Amino acid sequence: MAVPHTEDVSVSGHPRRPLVSDECGPKDCVRVSGQVYLDTLPAWERLLGDLVDREGDILMDMSGITFVDVAGASSLARTAQCLPDGRRLVIRKPPASLTRVLELFWPELVAIEVVE
Amino acid sequence: MAPTAEPFTHPALFYADETDYLAGTLPFVEGGLAAGEPVAVAVPGQKLALLREALGGDADRVKLLDMEQAGRNPGRIIPRVLRGFADAHPGRRVRIIGEPIWQGRTAGEYPACAQHEALINHAFAGRDATILCPYDTAKLDEAVLADARVTHPVLIEDGVERASDAYAPDLIVSGYNLPLSRPPGAARLAYDADRLPDARHFALERAGRMGLPADRHDDVALAVAELTTNSVVHGGGAGTLWVWAEDDHLVCEVRDRGRLTDPLAGRRPARPGQIGGRGLLLVNYLSDLVRVHTGDEGTTVRCYFRLRRHDPSFRGVQTPV
């Protein structure tokens, strides 16, 4: 039997949530904070494009990212797939939503390394 | 030009007891192994144990899957189980036993099961494969067996194989495209592009309150994100989300003004390099059941998540097939 838990509820609209990135720590690590979804996808893809243009491995601290949708995960996977041999994308503390999607759709993608 | 024989075959096997079951399935498996064809068996746990024992040492050469887990949501059987196996063996003919309908299937699950059986014919048209679907005539309703005659071009009964006079799978796809009724008092949120994060948080907050295990919260967030984003991008720019608890499940329903015209949407496996096209597929992978109603007035997609742990592998799909 269906059990209604709540009545009609309204949630106050939050302001748009930007995606924020800045350089942090050694080795050109980029820290990204926010949520990756329809609204922030263009900024996310711009950021990934900029990082590809750099030298060496790409280091991203994702401890400040709370959510990545499938389109955002796809962009990340595509970025890793396009890296020349020997370059990797190293992501620190990705949100569980991202890990779950990468496991489901790109289980053999070795160019992404997840670190704590 | 002479007509080309359809390489895909999709027989229903009607069985009444275990002897019948083994008589219909064992030669199929052993014939495939003898011919060097990759063979998979995706059937309910009890039947899987029966076949494993009967196969003896040959069981190691067969991909064995418990359909009650791998195919709990009928919407993921085609991409994850059937094509998952077939695509892993490119260029080779494969044999699969797929038993998606068993006595414990609920009234909510059944329409999705029947549509799944019908859509196999489209998903595998032109492919080199045989998918044999056993039906338990002693335990399943006559209406279910009647549907099986509509969804399968070939029927095997009492050891005799014949073409099905009733074969018309699209009638099942459209016939089970049924309006979905919602309980009164379900929590409701209208969303548009500006409120996509709100929709996710709205569902998550209720999932937490209803006691959904914490390791499934991301499944809910991802599924709701994909469905609501689809509304914004393809479904008229806005939609309404409802969330409620029903029969031990958290239910998230999304309605918008879009119309789903591709019956295989969400059932084609994604290629690793493919851009886009993973949203509905992901919803199928993560949910325990997905029901869809689409028409001129719009589309409703409803996904179910079990609130309690029934078994150790209760979470959606885990590892690639």
Side-chain angles (χ1 to χ4, degrees), chain A residues 1-6 8-9 11 13-14 16-17 35 37-38 67-70 78 81 96 100 104-106, chain B residues 80 183-185 187-188 194-195 197-198 200 206 209 218-219 225-226 232 245 247 272 278 282 286 315 317:
Chain A
M1 203 194 85
V3 183
H5 275 244
T6 50
D8 210 76
V9 182
V11 170
H14 292 284
R16 290 200 175 219
R17 297 156 178 78
Q35 304 182 9
Y37 67 107
L38 188 65
F67 181 76
V68 178
D69 72 2
V70 179
R78 213 158 53 240
Q81 284 165 339
R100 182 97 164 107
L104 280 171
F105 291 119
W106 295 275
Chain B
R80 198 74 183 175
R188 173 184 180 278
D194 288 340
R195 303 189 74 186
D198 295 339
R200 248 186 293 125
R206 276 150 192 84
R209 214 189 296 163
D218 289 303
D219 293 357
E226 291 318 309
V232 169
D247 292 337
R278 289 186 179 81
L282 183 73
L286 301 179
R315 207 175 166 206
V317 285

Side-chain angles (χ1 to χ4, degrees), chain A residues 22-32 47 51 54-62 87-92 113 115:
Chain A
D22 56 21
E23 303 288 328
C24 73
K27 292 194 282 186
D28 293 333
C29 178
V30 174
R31 181 168 50 205
V32 196
L47 172 68
L51 292 174
R54 295 185 183 184
E55 303 270 307
D57 290 347
I58 297 174
L59 309 176
M60 295 176 82
D61 181 340
M62 295 196 179
R87 281 184 70 191
R88 289 170 314 150
L89 182 63
V90 182
I91 55 180
R92 181 174 171 268
E113 183 184 335
V115 295

Side-chain angles (χ1 to χ4, degrees), chain B residues 144-160:
Chain B
V144 171
L145 303 176
D147 284 347
R149 295 183 182 97
V150 183
T151 52
H152 295 79
V154 175
L155 311 173
I156 303 171
E157 215 160 355
D158 301 324
V160 180

